[in-house]
Amino acid sequence: MDFEQLVARQRDFFGTQATKPYDFRIKQLQKLSVWMDENEQAVLEALQSDLGKCAYEAYLTELAMVKQELRDAMRHLKGWMKPRRARTAVGQLPGTCRVYSEPYGVTLIMSPWNYPFQLTVAPLIGAVSAGNCAVIKPSAYSAATSALLKRMTGELFEPEYIACVEGGRQENAALLHQRFDYIFFTGSPGVGRLVMEKASAHLTPVSLELGGKSPVIVDETADIALAARRIAWGKWLNAGQTCVAPDYVLVHQRCEEALVEALIQQIRAMYTSAPLANPDYPQIINQRHFERLAGLMQSGVIAHGGQLDPASRRIAPTLLTDVDWDSPVMQEEIFGPLLPILPYRRLEEALDRIRQRPKPLALYLFTRSKAVEARVLREVSFGGGCVNDTVLHLATSHMPFGGVGESGMGGYHGRYSFETFSHFKSVLKRWAKPDVSLRYAPYDGKMKRLKKLM
């Protein structure tokens, strides 16, 4: 594919102004909604093929979230598009101030393999709602879903409006050489740096949805049984291949033994005592990641799990204790079903450990103490998170989802997706009269009047 020509064709189509009217935008969203309803089974089968996701988990974490985003966009798009009235400053009178949204133009959406449908289509909804053209580039690792996304765009849109590019690193590199008006990237911090570097050549603005080691703090006041249940759900969803999955647990030393035991009970309750034979338990995306995770398992004492099935690329939910802060499993985002558990004596000690590391994408706190809750939220910077739960903070169209520092920049979901893919231009409309002479030269004798007015 000639990517330079593809981008040029999209730029020409954007220049016709066809993507900007409300009627055009809402029609595209409605078409997408109908396609998803008609092809629901095909989406579930693609996710099963790529990641071994059972239908329930695939629907819950991919289709349901995208359908929610679509409903929210279709319901509120007309209001989002309206110019916003702004307060008129004294020096601007007589006149009115308004802020107008406008699409950036030709956008690039690069998505990962772990939630390949949701993390492609959710930002696409934002791009379409805002009136942009878009090139989507799904991951080659999730080949079945990428092929489905290619079919979806081909059936719904002309390529000069929305196009899907399949392929791997070569296609990624070729696309990043093109001049886009906005780039939305979801993936690892390492690749995020490359995207930002390439975007800088054209001064292209970016959103970077990255990852990191998202901690869980369990203090001595926490409901241990509830904490274990919710940590287990968030951690082993998609076999731990979730950007906001709990990466490691910091638990008060008096509660460590009880938490480990409660987690073991929850693993058995959710995935049975033979999780590798459980059809509801997903697989690792490819052999390289499977071998990486198998190596990280040597970083501590296996308190539970540790079983491997190379043929199906499944790794049992695994708890690691006696983990050292310098061990390999604590040096990189795990992105798999291994959960290190590290005790702490004082809350200050736990917070210091978190603050010494790059700012995480998510943080989860389990406590009954309002003072502890207030302190953690005040003293620790992170993208988003939960108190007494995990992962669910992103399952809404009413709050932005995104990272901070090395875990990303920019946010999306709901109106925030529309705003991410929009430029907001401020416009002052002045009346012809009166035309006060105070601002015009000559300035002699006007300083006193100016200070009084201001």
Side-chain angles (χ1 to χ4, degrees):
M1 184 181 292
D2 187 333
F3 296 138
E4 185 173 350
Q5 184 181 47
L6 172 63
V7 173
R9 288 178 62 194
Q10 289 206 350
R11 200 171 300 286
D12 288 344
F13 181 67
F14 181 76
T16 68
Q17 311 297 312
T19 67
K20 294 182 179 180
Y22 168 80
D23 288 345
F24 179 86
R25 302 186 201 188
I26 196 70
K27 182 180 179 182
Q28 311 313 311
L29 296 175
Q30 290 167 345
K31 284 164 53 178
L32 179 56
S33 180
V34 170
W35 188 94
M36 285 178 55
D37 288 339
E38 293 177 347
N39 291 272
E40 180 177 299
Q41 188 58 36
V43 175
L44 298 178
E45 289 173 0
L47 294 169
Q48 167 65 32
S49 175
D50 286 329
L51 288 148
K53 291 188 183 185
C54 68
Y56 183 87
E57 184 171 314
Y59 188 91
L60 175 70
T61 61
E62 306 236 23
L63 275 168
M65 287 190 63
V66 173
K67 288 185 175 186
Q68 176 181 301
E69 289 287 297
L70 265 173
R71 285 193 299 270
D72 193 68
M74 291 188 290
R75 184 179 298 123
H76 298 294
L77 179 58
K78 187 169 287 187
W80 295 346
M81 291 177 62
K82 289 181 179 178
R84 302 179 199 172
R85 185 82 176 260
R87 185 173 178 176
T88 307
V90 172
Q92 296 172 323
L93 294 170
T96 57
C97 290
R98 286 185 172 84
V99 179
Y100 294 81
S101 66
E102 65 177 12
Y104 278 106
V106 181
T107 63
L108 172 63
I109 298 169
M110 305 181 76
S111 58
W113 51 262
N114 59 324
Y115 290 89
F117 190 80
Q118 181 222 134
L119 295 179
T120 304
V121 181
L124 178 63
I125 291 167
V128 169
S129 298
N132 297 280
C133 296
V135 176
I136 62 173
K137 173 57 185 69
S139 172
Y141 290 168
S142 48
T145 308
S146 295
L148 183 71
L149 290 165
K150 178 78 170 180
R151 176 166 74 83
M152 180 191 81
T153 56
E155 291 174 358
L156 291 177
F157 312 114
E158 294 299 323
E160 58 264 30
Y161 173 47
I162 307 290
C164 177
V165 173
E166 293 182 280
R169 294 182 180 180
Q170 183 176 348
E171 286 75 16
N172 290 343
L175 282 169
L176 289 172
H177 274 100
Q178 308 307 312
R179 180 175 69 85
F180 288 94
D181 299 302
Y182 199 91
I183 297 176
F184 189 101
F185 171 79
T186 306
S188 70
V191 180
R193 289 185 177 89
L194 175 64
V195 170
M196 195 170 185
E197 177 188 335
K198 297 298 184 182
S200 68
H202 303 292
L203 295 179
T204 300
V206 298
S207 284
L208 301 177
E209 302 296 333
L210 310 177
K213 295 186 72 63
S214 296
V216 182
I217 302 172
V218 181
D219 79 356
E220 65 269 38
T221 72
D223 182 329
I224 297 299
L226 180 69
R229 189 180 193 193
R230 294 179 175 176
I231 292 169
W233 176 79
K235 176 61 182 181
W236 289 291
L237 193 71
N238 200 27
Q241 298 167 115
T242 302
C243 60
V244 292
D247 193 273
Y248 62 99
V249 176
L250 292 167
V251 57
H252 193 278
Q253 61 183 7
R254 291 204 296 264
C255 306
E256 181 185 11
E257 186 176 342
L259 180 64
V260 170
E261 191 57 41
L263 282 167
I264 292 171
Q265 292 176 11
Q266 290 300 327
I267 290 169
R268 288 171 176 163
M270 292 183 187
Y271 301 107
T272 77
S273 57
L276 298 185
N278 189 335
D280 288 347
Y281 187 62
Q283 65 198 30
I284 305 305
I285 186 67
N286 58 33
Q287 189 64 26
R288 182 170 68 87
H289 283 284
F290 179 88
E291 292 173 0
R292 178 184 65 85
L293 291 164
L296 292 179
M297 204 179 291
Q298 312 305 314
S299 296
V301 173
I302 297 175
H304 183 77
Q307 297 86 4
L308 306 171
D309 182 359
S312 65
R313 297 198 310 275
R314 283 186 168 88
I315 299 176
T318 299
L319 303 178
L320 297 176
T321 57
D322 294 328
V323 175
D324 189 89
W325 283 97
D326 296 323
S327 65
V329 79
M330 296 303 295
Q331 303 309 308
E332 60 182 89
E333 184 179 8
I334 296 170
F335 225 68
L338 318 181
L339 184 61
I341 299 173
L342 300 95
Y344 71 88
R345 290 175 298 174
R346 296 180 300 108
L347 181 62
E348 181 65 30
E349 173 190 338
L351 299 186
D352 279 347
R353 287 290 189 178
I354 295 170
R355 288 188 294 246
Q356 289 166 10
R357 292 169 169 263
K359 296 177 181 180
L361 180 58
L363 181 143
Y364 306 114
L365 170 66
F366 286 86
T367 183
R368 289 190 178 105
S369 168
K370 291 185 178 180
V372 169
E373 175 185 338
R375 182 181 180 186
V376 172
L377 296 182
R378 179 179 65 248
E379 295 185 9
V380 183
S381 180
F382 54 95
C386 304
V387 177
N388 296 323
D389 213 330
T390 63
V391 176
L392 286 180
H393 63 289
L394 61 78
T396 178
S397 298
H398 307 299
M399 295 195 299
F401 170 70
V404 60
E406 286 197 23
S407 61
M409 60 181 69
Y412 73 117
H413 287 179
R415 179 167 192 150
Y416 301 96
S417 291
F418 174 86
E419 293 178 350
T420 286
F421 285 95
S422 298
H423 165 66
F424 290 91
K425 55 186 181 186
S426 302
V427 177
L428 165 66
K429 182 178 180 180
R430 287 291 309 277
W431 311 151
K433 295 182 180 180
D435 191 21
V436 180
S437 62
L438 184 62
R439 67 170 173 162
Y440 299 109
Y443 302 127
D444 291 348
K446 294 182 178 180
M447 180 65 80
K448 186 175 181 180
R449 290 171 58 200
L450 176 63
K451 288 183 176 182
K452 184 176 181 181
L453 178 65
M454 301 303 290

